[in-house]
Amino acid sequence: ALHHARFLASSLYILKISMLANALPQGFLTPAMLEGIDRMAEYIALFHGPWFLQAQLAIPAPRLDLQLWNDMCAYQVGQVDN
């Protein structure tokens, strides 16, 4: 359970930085860093967050893993409307 909390904490930090990037001093983040943070924030919001919140449920776990995989493949192809 502790490792799950660490991943959630890291995810929350990335989301916070992404939301507050415009409030940071100019030049604090390079454009490459900002792009990476935005990509991670998008991944967390679309895939990691919802999966994390349902990961403790044992019965639907195989279905949730398959759904996560399918969602990620569909996103890669550009078929997701999120």
Side-chain angles (χ1 to χ4, degrees), residues 11-76:
S11 298
L12 291 175
Y13 291 138
I14 290 171
L15 291 172
K16 186 189 294 188
I17 291 170
S18 177
M19 291 188 309
L20 299 175
N22 293 334
L24 295 172
Q26 190 70 16
F28 187 77
L29 296 173
T30 66
M33 290 170 66
L34 190 56
E35 181 182 345
I37 289 170
D38 286 342
R39 290 184 71 196
M40 283 301 301
E42 186 175 1
Y43 167 79
I44 292 165
L46 293 177
F47 303 113
H48 183 71
W51 182 83
F52 176 84
L53 293 173
Q54 298 177 0
Q56 295 298 322
L57 306 174
I59 293 173
R63 182 187 55 80
L64 292 173
D65 289 345
L66 182 60
Q67 185 64 46
L68 175 67
W69 177 259
N70 290 336
D71 288 348
M72 291 175 79
C73 289
Y75 180 79
Q76 183 179 8

